[in-house]
Amino acid sequence: EVQLVESGGGLVLPGGSLRLSCAASGFTFNLFAMKWVRQAPGKGLEWVSTINTIGNSRSYADSVKGRFTISRDNAKNTLYLQMNNLKPEDTAVYYCKPLTLATPSSQGTQVTVSS
């Protein structure tokens, strides 16, 4: 059974940092590029970042470039998102997904940036 479990979210002050994790199971993690997406209250899904299978190619949305870093540990079947200099507009539920594999909906992890 394919499963994605996001964690690491929370409430943080503007300018703060968080590190999100995504534990993957039920598929061969190292064969799939992965991405983070987010959904802010009342808005649609927004792509945040993508990483290739071996972790040496990354891309970012302009809104997070220079502040967020995506990485992966294929030995641990885990995807990460290091988020620095967080802004209120980063407030959203964050989800991880494989690029080319349909997966069941996951819970995501809530990130709230507020003073």
Side-chain angles (χ1 to χ4, degrees):
E1 177 189 359
V2 174
Q3 192 171 22
L4 298 161
V5 180
E6 300 93 346
S7 62
L11 173 63
V12 63
L13 294 171
S17 298
L18 285 172
R19 188 193 195 203
L20 307 185
S21 298
C22 167
S25 60
F27 64 102
T28 307
F29 181 73
N30 62 8
L31 294 183
F32 291 89
M34 297 289 296
K35 64 181 177 181
W36 286 98
V37 298
R38 66 187 182 184
Q39 188 164 25
K43 297 189 176 181
L45 279 176
E46 176 190 14
W47 169 74
V48 174
S49 181
T50 297
I51 189 168
N52 69 345
T53 55
I54 59 173
N56 65 349
S57 178
R58 304 170 176 86
S59 56
Y60 299 94
D62 287 344
S63 58
V64 307
K65 200 171 295 183
R67 301 187 297 120
F68 290 11
T69 303
I70 190 171
S71 62
R72 66 190 296 161
D73 186 336
N74 286 342
K76 296 182 179 180
N77 289 351
T78 303
L79 180 72
Y80 302 100
L81 187 68
Q82 177 67 44
M83 306 187 297
N84 298 329
N85 191 21
L86 282 159
K87 302 177 180 181
E89 51 264 42
D90 295 318
T91 295
V93 179
Y94 285 71
Y95 303 90
C96 64
K97 297 178 183 295
L99 253 64
T100 56
L101 179 68
T103 56
S105 297
S106 56
Q107 278 197 300
T109 187
Q110 174 71 50
V111 172
T112 303
V113 185
S114 175
S115 55

